[in-house]
Amino acid sequence: PKPFQTFGETSFPEFVEELAFELFTSDAKPFPVQAQVWPCALSGADVTAVAPTGSGKTLAFLLPAMVHMMAQPELRPGEGPIALVLEPTRELA
């Protein structure tokens, strides 16, 4: 899919865009890794992203995971998990 150039192009809940504008500026744009990952992840594709520290990888996978989790019906006992996050080191957890 075509990379997202703005937060408005995503299907994230409105609070995500508001938070981005609050934390950064009203001109806030996704980092390159996010622009590439979000359309793929939001369409249900598996994604592997390699980028330097501080490039936005955490939000690149975390925000689509949140959208997925919020769209699921409430779990019943014995069901789950809805999302699994693996971190390479304890320091990043």
Side-chain angles (χ1 to χ4, degrees), residues 31 33-34 37-38 49-62:
F31 286 109
V33 68
Q34 296 164 346
V37 167
W38 287 340
V50 178
T53 300
S55 62
K57 291 183 303 292
T58 300
L59 286 181
F61 72 82
L62 194 58

Side-chain angles (χ1 to χ4, degrees), residues 12-32:
F12 296 139
E14 191 173 315
F15 77 87
V16 172
E17 187 172 352
E18 291 171 3
L19 182 62
F21 293 159
E22 185 178 315
L23 291 174
F24 305 109
T25 67
S26 59
D27 297 334
K29 294 183 179 171
F31 286 109

